[in-house]
Amino acid sequence: GLFMLTEEGPGFPFFLPGGMTLKNTLIDYWREVHKKYGYVEVSTPVILSRKLWERSGHWEHYKNNMYTTVIDEEDYAVKPMNCPGGMLVYKNQPHSYRDLPLKVGELGLVHRHEKSGQLHGLIFMRDDQIEDQIKGVTKLINEVYTQFGFEYFVELSTRPEDSMGSDEDWEMATNGLRKALEDMGLDYIVNEGDGAFYGPKIDFHLRDSLGRTWQCGTIQLDFQMPQRFDLEYTAEDGSKKRPIMIHRVCFGSIERFIGILIEHFAGKFPVWLAPVQVKVIPVSEKSMDYATGVYEKLKAAGIRTELDHKDEKVGYKIRQAQLEKVPYMLVLGEKEAAEGAITVRSRDKGDLGAAGLDAFIEDIKKMIETKEK
């Protein structure tokens, strides 16, 4: 019940209400962790002029993977990446060396032939900040993947054949990534010739609970695009200098990341991530009023909850909630109504017995707040 697929949009998921809850919860977490690491958020247009893509180099290196259209007799392209729009955001106002590093995140919807929907970030920095910023991004990505219980391995991808820029820039960029990885004591594999056309990159490959690997996170060092867009900042001595840029992605495609999470958890999402966190199950019509009151109290506490008011036997309702992989079920009969109590059932541990509603709410809120696995 998270998403559906149709013939009218092959490969494009239609998110249903439960899936939207999951997606929005992931995006809320993205915002929370990026704010913690000092990022600001921007939003750039989905369709931009061909002139921008020519300036960025994407038209020359990437046009076969881009969706294009004509508006008022001019070529436009749906953005395959967020970074060229980020260049224009940086150029919108002058910057000093004191402004750097400038960390910019965008929850941008992008489309290209092989994947869609990126949660992307850019860091504009001085050359003396390269190592620290690469380490900072690595720590952020590690925090996120650890939160979901993923193991991962790292690849360093080097200069491809269809690259832009000088040998000196590529050597400096590659050595900067390599040194940051080695300083952090991270093992890595060298993937020769698989870098982006504008710079080398570090790729993070997740390993899910079934042992399969997925490439999601990436850190790409870019000397080329700041040159092509003539980006600059005022140095301490008053001279104009060129910033260096990091492209970095944590989730990658949000749709793909959700697919990986579904497989990794086998649909049994932790409480903080579950679309429905608590299912309220009245035993019969006689306890419906009490169950409705419990449901309203859970909802008022900010807990994602559903009330099962179907005219079915309680065993059927419990099995249904179990199939839906709801973390907790509250089974409420006449006894619970008379005592003002609840009977708690766990998706993973079965019947947990009687409890007080207020204490249960506090426990659930703590699980959500701490993002307990």
Side-chain angles (χ1 to χ4, degrees):
L2 300 176
F3 62 90
M4 68 179 209
L5 297 170
T6 72
E7 291 181 4
E8 292 83 355
F12 296 101
F14 288 65
F15 281 93
L16 303 174
M20 277 307 298
T21 299
L22 175 60
K23 184 177 180 179
N24 288 333
T25 303
L26 282 172
I27 289 172
D28 289 344
Y29 173 61
W30 183 94
R31 285 197 166 107
E32 176 189 315
V33 76
H34 281 77
K35 185 177 180 181
K36 172 182 168 182
Y37 279 83
Y39 286 75
V40 294
E41 187 177 343
V42 300
S43 178
T44 62
V46 174
I47 298 177
L48 292 162
S49 164
R50 171 177 172 172
K51 295 171 186 173
L52 175 77
W53 305 113
E54 288 176 334
R55 190 171 186 183
S56 70
H58 286 88
W59 195 266
E60 178 185 353
H61 294 271
Y62 213 75
K63 65 183 175 186
N64 291 335
N65 295 84
M66 296 168 67
Y67 297 102
T68 59
T69 188
V70 176
I71 302 174
D72 294 335
E73 300 182 355
E74 282 195 32
D75 289 332
Y76 281 74
V78 177
K79 63 179 179 181
M81 297 169 184
N82 290 317
C83 41
M87 302 295 101
L88 301 184
V89 170
Y90 182 93
K91 283 180 70 72
N92 183 54
Q93 62 186 56
H95 296 279
S96 155
Y97 70 97
R98 297 180 187 276
D99 300 327
L100 305 182
L102 175 61
K103 303 177 183 181
V104 180
E106 179 171 9
L107 294 162
L109 188 64
V110 305
H111 289 86
R112 49 190 191 245
H113 285 347
E114 76 272 22
K115 59 183 178 181
S116 67
Q118 292 250 341
L119 292 93
H120 190 83
L122 300 174
I123 300 176
F124 301 91
M125 62 193 171
R126 308 187 304 267
D127 55 7
D128 62 297
Q129 297 172 322
I130 291 174
E131 273 187 60
D132 283 346
Q133 293 310 308
I134 292 169
K135 290 174 184 177
V137 175
T138 302
K139 287 175 183 173
L140 183 155
I141 291 174
N142 177 70
E143 180 173 329
V144 171
Y145 292 170
T146 301
Q147 175 62 58
F148 294 106
F150 285 118
E151 296 178 355
Y152 63 86
F153 67 90
V154 178
E155 281 186 350
L156 173 62
S157 298
T158 60
R159 186 175 188 173
E161 289 184 11
D162 64 337
S163 60
M164 301 188 306
S166 68
D167 293 344
E168 293 77 18
D169 282 350
W170 273 89
E171 186 175 355
M172 186 189 302
T174 305
N175 288 340
L177 294 181
R178 192 189 307 272
K179 189 168 189 308
L181 288 172
E182 290 172 354
D183 285 354
M184 295 184 77
L186 284 176
D187 293 331
Y188 63 92
I189 301 164
V190 176
N191 190 0
E192 295 287 355
D194 200 43
F197 66 83
Y198 46 76
K201 59 179 181 161
I202 297 170
D203 288 328
F204 295 80
H205 296 261
L206 301 184
R207 186 174 284 108
D208 66 18
S209 59
L210 299 177
R212 295 175 303 185
T213 58
W214 309 84
Q215 196 270 306
C216 286
T218 188
I219 304 173
Q220 302 171 0
L221 198 53
D222 186 355
F223 287 75
Q224 311 307 324
M225 216 165 289
Q227 291 180 16
R228 294 177 81 97
F229 281 84
D230 197 27
L231 302 190
E232 59 183 27
Y233 67 92
T234 303
E236 194 169 1
D237 62 4
S239 64
K240 298 295 184 184
K241 290 196 173 180
R242 187 86 64 208
I244 298 164
M245 193 170 74
I246 288 175
H247 308 244
R248 35 111 306 167
V249 173
C250 186
F251 285 164
S253 158
I254 187 69
E255 294 90 347
R256 187 162 173 249
F257 194 77
I258 287 172
I260 295 166
L261 283 179
I262 292 169
E263 295 283 352
H264 182 62
F265 289 116
K268 294 182 178 181
F269 297 112
V271 174
W272 73 274
L273 202 53
V276 178
Q277 294 161 329
V278 179
K279 181 76 75 99
V280 178
I281 300 176
V283 172
S284 68
E285 193 64 35
K286 293 177 182 176
S287 53
M288 183 62 77
D289 287 346
Y290 178 64
T292 302
V294 169
Y295 163 76
E296 293 294 346
K297 194 164 183 180
L298 287 165
K299 207 165 65 163
I303 296 166
R304 296 193 290 269
T305 182
E306 285 184 357
L307 174 63
D308 190 337
H309 46 66
K310 293 190 290 294
D311 186 18
E312 298 283 356
K313 291 182 179 178
V314 68
Y316 174 86
K317 293 180 181 181
I318 290 171
R319 282 194 302 276
Q320 195 62 32
Q322 199 73 35
L323 285 171
E324 293 168 7
K325 298 180 171 35
V326 178
Y328 288 96
M329 293 145 261
L330 302 187
V331 182
L332 307 177
E334 293 177 70
K335 182 177 179 233
E336 286 80 11
E339 296 175 357
I342 57 174
T343 294
V344 183
R345 186 174 184 84
S346 162
R347 172 188 65 196
D348 302 315
K349 298 177 182 177
D351 189 3
L352 300 180
L357 178 58
D358 290 341
F360 175 77
I361 286 174
E362 287 308 309
D363 286 346
I364 293 290
K365 286 173 72 173
K366 187 176 179 183
M367 289 180 195
I368 294 167
E369 185 181 335
T370 60
K371 295 182 172 59
E372 185 177 310
K373 296 188 185 66

